[in-house]
């Protein structure tokens, strides 16, 4: 069997490959390990809960409306830490660069990474760089790993019947921005990626009430994230289509591209399941932050399984995890 | 200016690129940060000293005599932690894989990584996988980042006049093994990479005496490592050519290839500067471990600068840091 593009798409097919890549007998350092396939691991060290995560970034093109590979590389890892309740402290940066890459572009990328770090008070403390012969790599790959500290660890599998589902903002912006930009749509310039480091926003939400489960809807989009949360928690989730925040231009471009905006990556959003009595306070906390101003209650959790969307016209349809991401090299 | 292969070679030219890649204003989390360009960073968390490091691995071919990209990916990061005095606890694994890559090869790689982890009691606790279109990447890139805990942090800049320099074993094995294998030398099969996770050996040495400075001679080889140690410590180092352990077949192949074995990567060796009175005990500790059985005292530290080798015939020559590594994609 050979690896194919769908294996890297974050959807159902990826499970095949994950079966191979998680065959480590040494997969846990005493807390939450590889076997849980959460946004990151937790390692107890001394009296601290260290959160640890990694992401390799291959987004193409490297500069796009609303961001660049550097901002994604930092935000992606900070957000994985934040989704576990981890305050981001230190990141590593491993770059693999194709011979002939413009040093001026590297400077832009580094500056963009530095800006994202500054927003949340984290630092790149260690790094590594390799250069490959021209033709051996298309451009640049940036891996970041990150260390955070969690006062209280939040999982993606903690949804409880009665919980309220909150989205921290509009869905689909990043994936559709990349795709529209690649296709050269005129409205491409208007659709901007949402890529952003979310710790500042998440910190406010954590202080405002009880968050039972949290996940950032990156590869595979909202459809994948909410299904993973429901499946791992063993609950049913009901989403109100009317309540789901989607920008008008994202909706239009998605229709033109024939892509479901629920299935494409977001890079600056969180999906949370929160205690019903805390929902208003958490929503207010999210909306008080620039990255959470479009936050909305989008559904609720009951006993059962699967994720269903109540449509605007009064019908119901399943939200399925996508088979694969329709947009390759999106992050 | 464009990035060229020499920029990734670990030698002097790499300094140019590092000037760009270290332009982070957020580069330190309260301990030892990016600015020190040591084998890793140190982050104080609670009452613990967390060591944190990363490496991307692009070795070609991915399977070679003595090891494979998986064993290097785990050993490289464990060794960077060990060089800082850090007991390796948890590693992340970020894989970028070319479409069409054989899943059977992935299984071999994962199994090899798992074996190296088991040798030192560390775990892969979190991971990420991306798949690139055929032609966008030549094979596979594996990034590992690692977290360790140091009782006492060891730096690469702590050499003191009077210290004794110890090599934990033979020099040049990995780089020459890769090169001989690529060139199809008949003796290629006899030269095996030294790739190994060194924490078990380093732990014994740390317990045996005072190690003032430590570094693993990877890219740029022994010549680069010893020069960095001397320059950062502000001392002169004198190496005895006769005392330097180099295998006969490595020496022969290096001569045939026209490569200086002191300038190629090692993946299972440590260079240490130790207090003279502890040298015998540390040497004995190293030799008691399978990976340190060829350990030798190879020189000493005095006041001054630069690194000089006293040759077998009674002469002296400078050991210069290599301009670039003569073997691309060696790790």
């Amino acid at each position: 069997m050979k690896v194919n593009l769908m294996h890297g798409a974050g959807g159902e097919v990826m499970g095949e490959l994950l079966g191979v890549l998680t065959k480590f007998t040494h997969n846990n350092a005493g807390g939450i390990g590889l076997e849980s396939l959460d946004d990151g691991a937790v390692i107890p060290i001394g009296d601290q809960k260290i959160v640890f995560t990694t992401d390799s970034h291959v987004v193409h093109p490297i500069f796009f409306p609303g961001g660049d590979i550097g901002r994604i590389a930092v935000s992606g890892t900070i957000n994985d830490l934040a989704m576990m309740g981890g305050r981001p402290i230190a990141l590593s940066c491993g770059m693999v660069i194709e011979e002939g890459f413009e040093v001026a572009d590297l400077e832009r990328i580094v500056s963009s990474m530095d800006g994202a770090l500054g927003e949340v008070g984290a630092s790149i403390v260690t790094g590594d760089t390799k250069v490959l012969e021209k033709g051996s790599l298309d451009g640049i790959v940036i891996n970041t790993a990150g260390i955070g500290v969690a006062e209280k660890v939040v999982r993606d599998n903690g949804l409880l019947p009665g919980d309220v589902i909150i989205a921290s903002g509009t869905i689909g912006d990043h994936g559709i921005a990349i795709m529209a930009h690649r296709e050269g749509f005129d409205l491409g310039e208007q659709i901007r990626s949402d890529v952003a480091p979310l710790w500042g926003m998440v910190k406010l939400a954590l202080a405002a009430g009880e968050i039972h489960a949290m996940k950032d809807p990156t590869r595979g989009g909202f459809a994948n994230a909410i299904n993973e949360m429901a499946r791992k928690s063993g609950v049913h989730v009901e989403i109100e289509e009317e309540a789901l925040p989607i920008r008008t231009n994202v909706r239009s471009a998605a229709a033109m591209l024939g892509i479901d905006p629920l299935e494409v990556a977001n890079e600056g959003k969180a999906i949370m399941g929160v205690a019903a009595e805390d929902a208003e306070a958490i929503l207010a906390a999210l909306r008080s932050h620039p990255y959470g101003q479009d936050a909305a209650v989008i559904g609720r959790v009951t006993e059962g399984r699967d994720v269903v969307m109540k449509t605007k016209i009064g019908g119901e349809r399943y939200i399925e995890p996508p088979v694969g991401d329709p947009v390759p090299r999106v992050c």
Side-chain angles (χ1 to χ4, degrees), chain A:
Chain A
M1 189 171 76
K2 290 179 193 291
V3 173
N4 65 60
L5 279 179
M6 294 294 267
H7 279 133
E12 272 203 334
V13 181
M14 189 151 188
E16 276 180 39
L17 194 59
L18 286 179
V20 173
L21 293 177
T22 53
K23 263 192 201 152
F24 287 96
T25 60
H26 306 283
N27 63 359
N28 189 307
I32 298 169
L34 190 65
E35 73 293 343
S36 72
L37 294 176
D38 207 326
D39 293 305
V42 177
I43 307 152
I45 297 183
D47 56 354
Q48 305 282 322
K49 290 187 277 284
I50 307 290
V51 188
F52 185 33
T53 188
T54 189
D55 262 319
S56 297
H57 297 88
V58 298
V59 63
H60 186 80
I62 55 174
F63 301 104
F64 49 81
D68 58 76
I69 192 171
R71 187 167 173 83
I72 287 199
V74 167
S75 301
T77 287
I78 282 171
N79 294 349
D80 281 344
L81 295 175
M83 293 307 112
M84 308 283 293
R87 174 172 63 88
I89 292 180
L91 271 65
S92 65
C93 173
M95 290 195 182
V96 185
I97 308 171
E98 184 185 19
E99 182 186 12
F101 196 87
E102 288 290 346
V103 172
D105 285 346
L106 266 189
E107 283 173 343
R108 272 179 76 185
I109 291 167
V110 166
S111 164
S112 171
M113 294 176 82
D114 204 34
L117 291 165
E119 286 188 43
V120 295
S123 294
I124 296 270
V125 296
T126 188
D128 174 66
T129 307
K130 296 287 185 327
V131 179
L132 293 192
E133 311 89 310
K134 207 161 179 63
S136 290
L137 173 70
D138 177 21
I140 186 169
V141 173
I142 303 181
N143 175 283
T144 50
I147 295 177
V149 172
E151 280 181 33
K152 180 166 171 272
V153 172
V154 182
R155 304 293 306 271
D156 59 2
N157 65 358
L159 292 180
L160 295 174
D163 279 358
V164 165
I165 303 289
I166 293 177
S168 71
T170 52
I171 299 296
D173 302 37
H174 176 73
I176 300 296
I178 294 282
M179 205 59 173
H181 180 61
R182 282 191 200 149
E183 300 287 322
F185 279 15
D186 265 348
L187 45 65
E189 277 305 292
Q190 300 148 25
I191 304 180
R192 294 168 63 82
S193 165
D194 59 354
V195 57
L198 295 180
W199 170 246
M201 181 193 80
V202 168
K203 184 180 163 189
L204 295 176
L206 287 168
E210 200 67 36
I211 300 177
H212 291 156
M214 184 158 46
K215 200 165 188 70
D216 57 340
T218 54
R219 275 186 291 175
F222 172 77
N224 195 57
I226 194 69
N227 270 285
E228 274 200 45
M229 293 172 84
R231 181 178 51 76
K232 287 184 172 179
S233 306
V235 296
H236 174 76
V237 172
E238 200 175 273
I239 300 293
E240 297 282 344
E241 185 176 26
E242 207 135 13
L244 257 186
I246 301 179
R247 291 184 200 284
T248 310
N249 58 1
V250 167
R251 205 184 289 277
S252 310
M256 288 164 68
L257 291 160
I259 290 176
D260 184 347
L262 302 192
E263 296 192 355
V264 301
N266 308 270
E267 293 292 339
K269 297 293 151 48
I271 306 299
M272 303 174 177
V274 312
E277 62 270 27
D278 293 346
E280 276 311 311
I282 290 172
L283 199 62
L286 289 169
R287 286 181 176 162
S288 76
H289 193 279
Y291 294 144
Q293 56 192 4
D294 297 319
V297 169
I298 60 168
R300 56 205 66 248
V301 180
T302 62
E303 287 185 14
R305 49 181 293 180
D306 297 324
V307 179
V308 157
M309 184 151 75
K310 296 186 89 167
T311 62
K312 291 175 189 171
I313 53 170
E316 279 194 354
R317 70 167 175 93
Y318 284 96
I319 299 181
E320 308 268 10
V323 177
D325 195 309
V327 190
R329 292 190 75 172
V330 78
C331 61

